[in-house]
Amino acid sequence: MNFGKFKNLLFFLFVFTLQSSISNCATSERIFLDQGNFGAVSTGSRAATEAAAKILKNGGNAVDAAVCAAFMLGVVDFTNSGLGGDGFALIHLPAGQIIALDGSIQRPADDSLNKVDAGLPACPEMLFKLLREFGSRSRAEVMAPAIKTCLEGFKISSYLHGVIKKKLITLQDKAAINFLAPNGYAMPAGHLLKQPRLGQTLMQLARDGGQSFYRGNDAKTMVGHLKSLGSTYEMRDFENFRSLVKLPVKKEWQSFSLYGTPPPSSSVAAIKLALKLAELNVDLFTPVAENIRKISHITREVIDFKYNFLSHCLNYPDLFITQNQPTKSQESPARENDSMTTHLCVWDQNNLAVSMTLTLGSHCGSGHLSPLGFFYNNEMRNYKDVVARYPDDYPRKAGPISSKAPLMLKKNGRLVFIAGGAGSDRIIANVGLLCARFIANPEKAINSIDDPRYFLDYKDCLNYEWSPAIASNDYFKLNFDNSKLRESGDDFFGLVAAISKEESAFTAAGDFRRDGHCRAIKKDPQQKRSFALQLFFNRKKGFNQITVSGPIEDQYQSTSAWKSAQAFSSRKTHEGMTFAYPQNQHTDRLTTRVMVTPQKSSGGGRLANLFAKRPVLVNDEKVSPAIAEYCRNYLTCNSYYQLIENLMVDIGFSLPYRKVRKKTSAEQLLKMGYGDCSGKARLMNEVLQAYGLQTRLVGGLIARPGMKTATHIWVEIKTENQWLPVCPVNFHFGQIPTNWVKLRHGDRPTVAPGGKLIFSISEKND
């Protein structure tokens, strides 16, 4: 065959391969400072930050991204947080209102005989409440990254290896030891860890929103296991647990308003410290001896005051801030404990923001691995005097006093800063100082997160972090009676996550300590996108006429007609464009332009209302026996929304993704037990039709950086005169990203007669 017929195709293949290789070599380095105009994320994990950032890039809001990050942290930072933990969150709504969420544990109804520090897992309930009230995406979509990471695995970081190595020394639980040391030693950095049992638990949570976890079989499993450890938790404790929506604490200072979660969190302590330091006539940035001495002693006083007085302020949080502290001799010093937490900050372009602290208590919590694949928290320990001096009338249903301290700052009524930290009482020290620095100098403050840290402990020993400026501890020995030099990045100093905003510009700060990482969004996810699309078509047998489908014209996508490089005539048909050629051809290059408008978010609540009816299996006789049998797995779903959520999880994960060369039917997918979008979309389509929904297949492209594209198939469901997308591969429901281009409806081919197709897609700025 004449080589000239293929020169355009071969050139494109070369460029396509080169561009693909370049894009695959994208950096995986951590980011500690990033700027963008369309939102930002900062967490204690690169994986969690990137998963949350992708949600924002695809049009999700800050709550969607925060919940996504929280579930991911429970997978990749499982010694500090997870399903077995609890937490606190501040949420800033686009209209300016700030609300607080208390997701702390509660004691068993009868704890008189309780013999273990393991507390009730509170985190999932809090996250689902947050998603229901303020999110815009489905459970399946925001949880998919965490589930996928459980099943496919992630590499243990150096930080996580160090934590595991130290924790193993004190662990007694055989299941926990086997999990952390599967080969008889601590999992090394770089070890690929898969967590299939945790993945199954997350899948069930995605299906039912916590029904089994708090009221069903999973709850029964946990209650039985906790009782075997000496806990007195009963099923009713799980069934009755609810996180609490509260008013935030607010304190004015000059043009600033400082907001925090109320007690039993320690946001009020961090606010009190920030205000004291803001009023202090010292340089908060320069680490000279006199400044360090003043800041450290004030910090110590606030922390001791928290220990003695915070438990008395549950109903009067302002009292903690305004109350004068007693003299040192009248206080008991706060004892140090090994509590470890994690923190995440997310802020979107619509001014919805989340600052959330999560914890298991100590590393690995109680040290007991649940049969469901996660560690229980040990927050029951926090009801003891290691954390606070409790009054006799401390409410039984209140959570324990905690060092967690999410904060937000407004200036002249506009949100300008969100922050939080991890690391026991160092949270109060780090976050309080950071907020005081922000009040003094916002730009310097956001850049100060990687500055060396110091902390005066209850033994009056100044712990300070090594830095190049301090090559030895002679400086501190000369200026302080009692000091201890710690390694740079020592876990003792915890982690800080923060985001600031000036005008429309976000600055995200990630901590180099632990696995901190941040990301700012630089492209507007709500902006229209224009693509130039090329289709290279080759058919060995040749052709003198072809019909090319689409691209589809609808309210979210406008297009130009396909153009051919070689056809002598063309005409538009109901199937697309038909091209005729003067002689038999083997190749052609076709081009078109597509403009994609972001779809309006349907919102999780609105989707639940749209699909609130109970599903009825009405068309099972119209599908094959294998499909009909599969359909019967969902007869207990109480709404079409739950049916769709369950199908996304089951088709998406229970039938593993594996590329298949040929078109796959729904029945073939079930028989093989794996497949790609071809079989998964068809199975979703047939099951939904069997349950009486009007659906159709959609074929299209996903545009990726460079010239990379992926052909894709998904499903649309008709409701209230609109077609809503649902994808069991990428887990979108109600809205798809703006880099998805729709080519055709139904099962017809993109080009008829068939042949080899290679797509190239590039984004245009005009």
Side-chain angles (χ1 to χ4, degrees), residues 141-156:
E141 182 172 350
V142 301
M143 295 180 69
I147 297 171
K148 183 178 181 181
T149 303
C150 278
L151 302 181
E152 296 182 0
F154 74 98
K155 290 184 178 180
I156 298 292

Side-chain angles (χ1 to χ4, degrees), residues 219-240:
K220 292 176 182 177
T221 297
M222 285 185 282
V223 169
H225 185 234
L226 286 167
K227 282 186 174 182
S228 73
L229 301 174
S231 173
T232 57
Y233 278 113
E234 300 284 353
M235 278 294 293
R236 66 178 182 273
D237 296 307
F238 279 71
E239 293 167 353
N240 295 332

Side-chain angles (χ1 to χ4, degrees), residues 192-204:
L192 183 68
L193 174 63
K194 297 181 180 181
Q195 302 173 79
R197 186 61 188 91
L198 178 59
Q200 292 296 322
T201 303
L202 287 168
M203 287 168 63
Q204 187 58 40

Side-chain angles (χ1 to χ4, degrees), residues 36 41 94 168-169 177 202 217 267 298 314 341 420 513 521 527 535 562 566 589 699 728 747:
V41 183
L168 279 168
I169 296 172
I177 293 170
L202 287 168
N217 291 332
S267 291
I298 290 173
L314 288 186
T341 56
R513 301 163 186 88
I521 310 303
Q527 185 178 29
L535 167 58
W562 285 105
Q566 301 183 46
R589 180 175 65 89
D747 232 347

Side-chain angles (χ1 to χ4, degrees), residues 13 55 77 112 256 258 279 288 351 370 471-472 493 501 504 543 565 612 624 634 652 681 694 739 748 753:
L13 285 172
I55 292 284
D77 193 23
S112 58
F256 288 92
L258 288 74
E279 294 167 351
V288 298
N351 228 24
S370 165
S472 72
F493 294 106
K501 185 181 181 185
S504 62
F543 56 90
S624 69
Y634 303 96
Q694 185 178 350
N739 65 328
R748 67 173 181 265

Side-chain angles (χ1 to χ4, degrees), residues 644-685:
I644 295 166
E645 287 262 35
N646 285 6
L647 286 171
M648 282 201 291
V649 173
D650 291 342
I651 296 174
F653 289 112
S654 297
L655 295 167
Y657 184 91
R658 193 182 302 175
K659 191 68 179 174
V660 180
R661 284 193 172 189
K662 296 183 178 180
K663 171 181 171 181
T664 308
S665 70
E667 194 166 2
Q668 287 172 326
L669 175 73
L670 291 178
K671 185 176 181 180
M672 293 187 300
Y674 63 87
D676 56 18
C677 61
S678 173
K680 287 173 180 271
R682 288 180 173 85
L683 178 59
M684 170 75 81
N685 193 53

